[in-house]
Amino acid sequence: MRVYLDNAASSVLDPEVLEYMLPWYREFHGNPSSVHYHGRNLRSAIEQSRKKIAELTGSSPGEIFFTSGGTEADNMAIRSTVEGLGIRHIVSTRIEHHAVGHCIELLEEKGHAKVTWLDVDSRGHIDLKELREVLKSSPRSLVCLMHANNEIGTMLDLEAVGRICREFDAVYHSDTVQTMGNVKYDTGNLPVDFLTASAHKFYGPKGIGFLYIRKGLKIPPLILGGGQERNMRAGTENVPAIAGMAFALEKCIRNLEEKNEKLWKLKLFLKTELEARIPGVEFNGETAKDNSLVTVLNTFFPIDSADSLLLMNLDIAGISCSGGSACTSGSVKGSHVLAGIGCSAKRSANSVRFSFGVQNTAEELEFTVGKLEEIMKVKTPV
Ligand code: PLP
C-alpha cells in the first residue's frame, strides 16, 4: 500500500477538476488579451471564474486578483503595501510561512520597515492584548497573521484580530492558504484587507492562486509588464488553471460540511489510535475541532535519537508525510514553526506532520499506525 498523508503540502488533484480543465487545453487556444473570437472566449472564462470566486468568498469580482499561487499573493500583499501605502511598521510572528516571513525579513533588512515580532505560546497562539498594545503605540501598521498554521494546524481568531486592526487603522493581511476551501469566507463582513489562496491546497492545480484585496486599497503591482489583471499583475493568464481553481473552490464550498466532517473523523481516528498504541506520543499545536485545521496532525514520537530518520522509515514503509512545511522536507534545516513554539531541536526532529485529504481512508491510517508500531519497536524509546 502507498499512502499519501502530505495533503497540506499539496492536495490530490480532483479528477473532476482535471476533466473540467481539459477542454481549456484542448479546444480553446489563443491569448486572452486578443480581441478576436478566440481571445474573447478565454477572457470570458477568466471573468466567469473571477465572478465565481468572488461569490464564494463574499467579495466583489474587482477585489480578486489571480496570481501564480500563495507565495506570489503573500509577496504582493506585503511588499506592495509597504511600497505603495507608505506603511513603515509590520506586526507578525516567527511562525508564519516563509512566503510571508522572508518577505518581512527582507523589508526589515533593507530598512524599508520596522518589525514587531509578537510572541507565540507553546500551541502557536498570539496574545491579543499584546497585539492591541503594539498597535496602540504604532497605529496604521501592516499586520500579517495567518489564519491557520500549515505545520501545526493552530487556528487564529481572525475576526478578533481584524477588529483590533480596524480599531487602530492597521492594514490586515492574513495568509489563508491552508484555510481557503476549508472555511467559508465572507469578506464583506470580515475585518480583513488581504486574503491569499493557492489552488493546489484545495484539490485544484498547482501554480495558480489569488489575492483578495479589499476595495479602496490602492497598492502597486508586484510584477510589471502587460496590462493583465487590471494592470495589477502582468503576464498571460493561465486560463485552464484559473477555471480549474474556481471549479475546485466551488466544489469544496458546496460540500464544506460533509468534507470537513470526513476530514475531522480521519484526524480523530489517527490521533486516538496513536495515543492508544504508541506510548509517549504528543501533539504539537492545537488539535481540537474548533481551533485547529481538520487537515493537520503534528505528532511528536518519543525516540532516543537526535535524528530519528522517522520520515525516511515511513517513506520506506509506503507512507508519504512531512516533518514541517513542504519547503523544509528534504532540507536539513529544522522547522522554524516548531522552534517558534519552543520545541527543542530533538523534539522537532522527532515530529511528523500528517495531513489529510478527502481521498484518504481509515484503512490507510490503520496501515500507517501499524507501520509506526513496527518502526517504534526497533527504535529505542526514551
Ligand atoms: N502559505 C502557506 C500557509 C502555505 O502552506 C503555502 C504552501 O505550502 C504557501 C503560503 C505557498 O503557497 P504556494 O505553494 O501556492 O506558493
Side-chain angles (χ1 to χ4, degrees), residues 33-346:
S33 293
S34 301
V35 292
H36 51 58
Y37 167 84
H38 289 85
R40 287 199 308 276
N41 257 319
L42 296 170
R43 171 68 44 217
S44 162
I46 294 173
E47 295 316 320
Q48 287 304 320
S49 305
R50 196 188 312 281
K51 198 163 158 241
K52 199 181 277 179
I53 289 173
E55 275 164 18
L56 293 166
T57 53
S59 322
S60 66
E63 294 174 311
I64 304 296
F65 296 86
F66 296 123
T67 65
S68 64
T71 300
E72 186 190 323
D74 284 329
N75 269 258
M76 183 169 165
I78 298 166
R79 299 170 80 167
S80 298
T81 293
V82 170
E83 192 194 321
L85 299 185
I87 289 182
R88 295 285 173 265
H89 180 240
I90 302 176
V91 183
S92 191
T93 73
R94 294 284 187 192
I95 64 167
E96 289 287 315
H97 189 274
H98 286 323
V100 170
H102 286 345
C103 264
I104 300 177
E105 281 158 16
L106 183 74
L107 292 166
E108 189 179 33
E109 247 169 64
K110 286 188 163 177
H112 294 177
K114 287 206 158 43
V115 183
T116 301
W117 298 102
L118 299 176
D119 287 335
V120 291
D121 67 16
S122 61
R123 294 191 176 261
H125 294 292
I126 57 157
D127 179 352
L128 292 178
K129 279 194 230 108
E130 192 192 354
L131 174 66
R132 174 183 285 278
E133 286 311 308
V134 170
L135 291 182
K136 212 179 197 176
S137 56
S138 299
R140 197 61 184 157
S141 296
L142 169 64
V143 174
C144 300
L145 293 170
M146 68 205 308
H147 193 181
N149 188 280
N150 51 302
E151 292 192 37
I152 53 176
T154 298
M155 289 183 75
L156 172 101
D157 186 341
L158 197 71
E159 291 207 42
V161 169
R163 278 197 298 273
I164 297 173
C165 290
R166 286 283 177 271
E167 213 180 306
F168 298 100
D169 197 26
V171 172
Y172 182 22
H173 155 264
S174 188
D175 178 329
T176 46
V177 166
Q178 290 292 339
T179 42
M180 193 62 70
N182 290 325
V183 168
K184 170 97 178 81
Y185 288 103
D186 181 12
T187 59
N189 291 307
L190 206 57
V192 178
D193 299 299
F194 297 108
L195 297 182
T196 57
S198 177
H200 75 111
K201 309 289 183 176
F202 50 85
Y203 311 101
K206 292 177 184 61
I208 188 73
F210 67 88
L211 172 63
Y212 157 81
I213 308 179
R214 178 170 296 286
K215 195 174 171 200
L217 268 185
K218 294 264 174 287
I219 59 164
L222 183 68
I223 296 177
L224 303 176
Q228 291 90 350
E229 294 298 283
R230 290 151 286 144
N231 288 318
M232 283 296 284
R233 201 279 184 180
T236 302
E237 299 91 335
N238 185 347
V239 183
I242 289 172
M245 170 166 69
F247 183 69
L249 188 60
E250 187 180 34
K251 268 196 83 175
C252 281
I253 300 297
R254 209 192 305 131
N255 304 320
L256 197 67
E257 271 176 36
E258 194 190 322
K259 175 179 78 72
N260 285 358
E261 200 47 41
K262 178 180 179 181
L263 291 166
W264 169 247
K265 279 193 185 139
L266 290 172
K267 173 166 165 168
L268 194 61
F269 178 79
L270 183 62
K271 182 171 179 281
T272 312
E273 290 299 308
L274 288 172
E275 279 171 327
R277 290 158 59 180
I278 315 250
V281 290
E282 288 171 6
F283 302 99
N284 300 313
E286 292 291 0
T287 55
K289 198 178 183 183
D290 60 347
N291 64 0
S292 76
L293 283 172
V294 287
T295 46
V296 168
L297 185 67
N298 195 309
T299 311
F300 161 70
F301 292 90
I303 295 171
D304 189 17
S305 102
D307 179 4
S308 66
L309 301 178
L310 205 48
L311 287 174
M312 206 166 90
N313 282 315
L314 279 165
D315 193 15
I316 292 165
I319 300 138
S320 300
C321 42
S322 67
S325 64
C327 353
T328 53
S329 53
S331 130
V332 286
K333 269 194 183 171
S335 152
H336 71 287
V337 173
L338 294 182
I341 60 168
C343 293
S344 64
K346 184 171 161 187

